[in-house]
Amino acid sequence: MAVQKEKFDNIIEIKNVSKVFDGITVVDDVNLAVRRGEFVTLLGPSGCGKTTLLRMIAGFEMPTKGTIFLEKQDVTTVPPHLRPINTVFQKYALFPHLNVFKNIAFGLKLKKIPTGEFDKKGRPVYRKFTKDEIAEKVERVLKLVNLEAYGHRDVTGLSGGQQQRVAIARAIVCEPKVLLLDEPLGALDLKMRKEMQLELAAMHKNIGITFIFVTHDQEEALTMSDKIVVMTDGAVQQYGTPKNIYDEPANAFVADFIGESNILSGTMKRDFKVEFLGTEFDCLDKGFDRDEHVDLVIRPEDIKVNKEKGALKGEVLSTVFKGTYYETEIVAENYEFTVQNDQEYSSGDTVYLDVDPNGIHIMKKLKTINEFRGVVTDENTVEFCGGEFEFVNTDGLEIDDEVRVAIPFDKIDLTDDEDDGVIGANVTQTFYKGTYYQVQVYTDDDNEFFIDTADEWDIGDRVGIKIDPKDIVVKRVAEVDEANTRENTQSEGGEDE
């Protein structure tokens, strides 16, 4: 008895895939499975690695390490033209000297299909499509992309949205198993872009093949996708349905990137109880350590505002009418909340804020301290992250000792002039935390720092890093490993409270 193929089995599997350009890791140990027929969006800021990952799936780039499977077959080194995959790019690359029909038919004229016969040496015999077969296929996809009457039109006379549909028709007419779309809506104006989002989603349902779509636009991802892969710094931060990613972001980056968010630091006092801004709130989360420091996100629409009483007392800074709701900025306990509701408030009004337990989403912190491997280069100098920093040597460390270096987030200074710091870095993320900003930077040798600072920095800023010698904690690697082992052993042997 034949085994029936599952409708939604994995058509693509990406296992431990990394890509390094000139010593910089742009895709970092990605693992991903895409089910047959899904619309999956790779979402993230510019430079996060999403297009490089797409190009590796297509075969235009080879992974530095890792494996890519298509229908369980290893295609890591298979060239693009031998993969049943087509790609639509932001620049549609249509042939200006060919009309719409001929642009779409171009790939069919080159394609060869097996006849089911074999030559004298047992090799399969191939043939080309006939003119009637080509015409039938082209007319079918023209109807699918709502361009039935445009077959003989010159492509240079089409609108941007029509050209995009021609590019999609040309890609799907050869019946690929996977269609890759690399920011294909980027060249369209806002109105056309929104229309094409809906058309593309409908097209996917009608065609039924697997779509993998690349964008930095969160609205596009939320509108069209069955699943979203949120990426930054070459790594997958979260993979799930649009609703899951919006309602339950995995970390502060995802919360900040998807939708409007109020991101705060807090402390899990115990299961179902979190403290932030000096007040305890009920929540729906459990499983954290007691008094564990956490990040939390509250969406603007989940905050209740009233004039009488509430958990937090605040003052209205501004109110803007957004058509279906008012967006209000309210400062409470030195944190500036963004609130969305149907009530208009005036600047200076005193209000009170409440949040239901299901409106508070707790996330583990990406880091709680900056830690790096280093080596002692002089009596009071340690080298790490491409620079030599002075430190206070209280443990009798010697030259060439391998060490672990720890620096708290709030003990690092960022400088406008890179030369004023010991090493240089680029700002990659900035999270507003109320009384301070949490800034993520990457050094030139690809090391990550988190810095808590009163100053707001823009993504892409070039900065210098300075650290006071007394704030750099340096320990021998062996001592740190021994302490961690002892702590883990005690934790495993302890009783739950």
Side-chain angles (χ1 to χ4, degrees), residues 108-258:
L108 290 175
K109 291 179 179 180
L110 300 177
K111 189 173 181 179
K112 295 180 180 180
I113 56 174
T115 63
E117 299 176 352
F118 297 87
D119 63 16
K120 293 179 180 179
K121 294 185 178 181
R123 295 172 299 190
V125 177
Y126 292 86
R127 69 173 179 87
K128 290 189 175 182
F129 285 113
T130 66
K131 287 185 178 180
D132 287 344
E133 287 173 327
I134 290 173
E136 186 275 328
K137 289 179 179 291
V138 173
E139 292 298 335
R140 181 175 58 84
V141 297
L142 279 171
K143 185 176 181 180
L144 194 62
V145 298
N146 296 319
L147 291 175
E148 299 101 309
Y150 288 76
H152 297 288
R153 290 278 296 272
D154 186 344
V155 293
T156 57
L158 301 181
S159 69
Q162 290 168 336
Q163 288 186 16
Q164 189 231 37
R165 290 182 213 165
V166 174
I168 292 172
R170 185 178 63 180
I172 64 178
V173 75
C174 292
E175 299 174 350
K177 293 180 178 179
V178 180
L179 183 63
L180 308 179
L181 302 109
D182 189 6
E183 303 206 48
L185 309 185
L188 305 180
D189 61 53
L190 181 61
K191 183 175 183 296
M192 178 62 71
R193 188 170 185 140
K194 290 182 178 296
E195 290 176 0
M196 286 305 303
Q197 289 172 11
L198 300 177
E199 285 196 27
L200 201 55
M203 203 181 300
H204 167 256
K205 290 180 180 178
N206 291 332
I207 299 170
I209 65 174
T210 306
F211 277 27
I212 301 181
F213 185 91
V214 163
T215 185
H216 61 271
D217 187 314
Q218 57 178 277
E219 182 181 347
E220 280 184 1
L222 294 170
T223 299
M224 298 187 295
S225 311
D226 296 318
K227 299 281 184 64
I228 298 175
V229 183
V230 185
M231 297 183 65
T232 187
D233 303 326
V236 174
Q237 302 297 312
Q238 190 169 358
Y239 181 32
T241 64
K243 179 174 173 52
N244 175 255
I245 285 177
Y246 184 85
D247 289 343
E248 298 291 341
N251 54 47
F253 171 81
V254 176
D256 184 62
F257 196 77
I258 302 289

